Amino acid sequence: MRIAELSRRTGVPIPTIKYYMREGLLPQGERTGPNQARYGEEHVRRLRLARALVEVGGLPVASAREALALIFSSGVSEFDVLGKAQYALTPPRERAGDDAGDDACNEAAAQVDELIARRGWQVKPGNPARRTLADALATLRRLGEDDYLDLLETYAETAEQLADTEVRAISRRGDLHSMAEAVVIWTALGDPVIASLRRLAQEARAARLLGGTAEDTS
């Protein structure tokens, strides 16, 4: 296919496709003439995923390029491809020097490890979400929000049910790179969807428990 058809099939404008090729997110097409090139299905898959990483996931081009290189590496399992897609959206957090030996941080990291082990989750040590969760728990502990920490097991159970539903739905796509694209989009957009639903449900529940009203007072 020519670049115009590649653009039509993916919904990515031609200037953006050329930009992605210049930046190494998309390989060059097969040259068929001085100013012409041919593109294949691999370009369609990679372009869709590149767009998801950059435009939906909000990744810098360099990070998206690195993620794509890993995702499209040969000999990589389905599990690893989907993991790389997800990990790309959760960059490792740098811990400040003052926090390195902080008791709250160490205790929170141990709490995360214990939670993962208790629930029987198979999670790689390098999953950046471990640090993100531990840092959040450490901050809650410093703020004295122990009653929130008491809810951690309930949150984990809810997250497990949600993850089961999502992974089953994504696995039905069949095509590996379509699955990776879904992981990126569902992770990037699923977070605000879940956060929004939570806030709506909180207001609705608070109105019921505390005798509030749903009238607009803004």
Side-chain angles (χ1 to χ4, degrees), residues 35 50 75:
N35 297 309

Side-chain angles (χ1 to χ4, degrees), residues 36-127:
Q36 290 187 328
R38 183 166 49 232
Y39 304 89
E41 293 302 317
E42 186 77 1
H43 289 88
V44 173
R45 291 191 293 267
R46 185 157 180 147
L47 182 54
R48 284 175 173 161
L49 189 50
R51 187 184 197 187
L53 287 166
V54 174
E55 297 184 22
V56 181
L59 287 187
V61 168
S63 299
R65 183 169 55 240
E66 181 180 352
L68 286 166
L70 292 169
I71 290 169
F72 283 86
S73 297
S74 59
V76 180
S77 69
E78 267 188 9
F79 177 76
D80 285 331
V81 166
L82 299 183
K84 295 299 182 185
Q86 187 208 56
Y87 287 15
L89 300 179
T90 315
R93 293 168 61 91
E94 294 296 330
R95 181 168 291 173
D98 293 342
D99 290 343
D102 187 282
D103 288 341
C105 288
N106 295 334
E107 186 174 347
Q111 186 177 5
V112 171
D113 291 342
E114 290 168 4
L115 173 69
I116 291 171
R118 187 167 60 251
R119 301 205 66 85
W121 291 352
Q122 298 297 312
V123 179
K124 292 184 178 180
N127 188 321

Side-chain angles (χ1 to χ4, degrees), residues 184-200:
V184 172
I185 294 173
W186 289 24
T187 299
L189 296 182
D191 287 350
V193 166
I194 293 168
S196 298
L197 287 170
R198 180 187 181 207
R199 283 161 176 74
L200 293 169

Side-chain angles (χ1 to χ4, degrees), residues 4 15 23-24 26 34-35 46 52 58 82 91 114 136 142 148 153 155 159 174 179 186 189 193 209:
E23 294 296 325
L26 186 69
N35 297 309
R46 185 157 180 147
L82 299 183
E114 290 168 4
R142 292 192 193 98
Y148 187 96
E153 201 71 36
Y155 282 119
M179 291 163 61
W186 289 24
L189 296 182
V193 166
L209 293 177

